[in-house]
Amino acid sequence: MAFLIGKTKEGKDWTPTFVETIDIEKCIGCGRCYKSCARKVLAPEDFEDEETESLRMIMTLSNGGNCIGCAGCGVACPKKCFSFKPMEI
Ligand code: SF4
Ligand code: SF4
């Protein structure tokens, strides 16, 4: 199995890992991931929690195709909501 490989500025290989999912059960809507993404991939959204019957904010993948696989959002997230995957080619 082969994955998409990128290059660093020094010309070294690196494997981008693209956002697969955001776990909305764990998300606290803090917005840290949103601020960390330079590609406008993420968007906050209201979510009606049926269990607690309350409205809360969650983060969604609104423009997933624009992700460059830097994983910065995952580093910023205090709740480890993100899962990532390299791209098979
Ligand atoms: S991996 Fe990078 S580009 Fe993709 S959503 Fe996260 S911060 Fe944005
Ligand atoms: S950083 Fe994590 S907890 Fe905060 S909004 Fe983003 S996904 Fe949710």
Side-chain angles (χ1 to χ4, degrees):
M1 191 182 299
F3 297 109
L4 180 75
I5 305 281
K7 292 280 183 198
T8 66
K9 195 176 176 187
E10 282 182 327
K12 290 180 182 160
D13 287 349
W14 75 287
T15 306
T17 53
F18 302 91
V19 175
E20 272 286 290
T21 59
I22 303 173
D23 187 340
I24 62 164
E25 297 303 319
K26 291 199 275 183
C27 179
I28 55 172
C30 67
R32 288 180 196 175
C33 56
Y34 179 74
K35 288 182 193 156
S36 76
C37 180
R39 301 285 300 172
K40 300 194 186 318
V41 174
L42 308 169
E45 203 175 279
D46 284 337
F47 175 72
E48 209 172 322
D49 196 326
E50 284 176 11
E51 245 178 63
T52 58
E53 293 180 357
S54 61
L55 201 62
R56 63 184 174 92
M57 197 180 90
I58 55 157
M59 202 54 63
T60 63
L61 265 178
S62 68
N63 189 15
N66 214 36
C67 180
I68 56 169
C70 70
C73 50
V75 174
C77 178
K79 303 298 281 181
K80 300 193 188 319
C81 298
F82 287 86
S83 68
F84 299 93
K85 218 170 144 185
M87 185 186 290
E88 277 182 50
I89 51 172

